[in-house]
Amino acid sequence: MSAAPSGDDDFLYELEVEVEAEVTLVEASRPEEAAGLPVTEWLFDPTDVEREEIGLRGLLDAVEALEDGFRPGEHGA
């Protein structure tokens, strides 16, 4: 398979920047502190924040794998 066109590279770079920004926002929300408050004072459910962070980190890993040249259907050795 040939290298991805620069348009794909640009898209992946921009996606990576966006996902990294989202991860930063999730980390800044400090869900562990909210978990110590009474439920009535929560602005968000800390468990939902944790799930979102896990999903974002998985997406970030996938973007980085694509940037490194791994393509779906290829198997690493």
Side-chain angles (χ1 to χ4, degrees):
M1 221 175 192
S2 62
S6 68
D8 286 348
D9 291 340
D10 290 344
F11 172 77
L12 289 174
Y13 175 77
E14 291 174 21
L15 180 59
E16 181 178 20
V17 169
E18 289 293 322
V19 173
E20 285 175 345
E22 289 292 323
V23 169
T24 300
L25 286 173
V26 168
E27 289 173 342
S29 68
R30 298 186 178 145
E32 66 280 353
E33 290 177 11
L37 298 172
V39 174
T40 56
E41 294 183 27
W42 286 359
L43 298 176
F44 50 82
D45 184 335
T47 304
D48 289 341
V49 174
E50 186 176 340
R51 281 188 205 111
E52 182 178 359
E53 183 176 0
I54 291 168
L56 288 169
R57 290 192 183 280
L59 179 58
L60 189 57
D61 288 345
V63 169
E64 289 171 353
L66 287 172
E67 285 181 328
D68 290 341
F70 177 80
R71 296 286 177 240
E74 292 182 1
H75 298 283

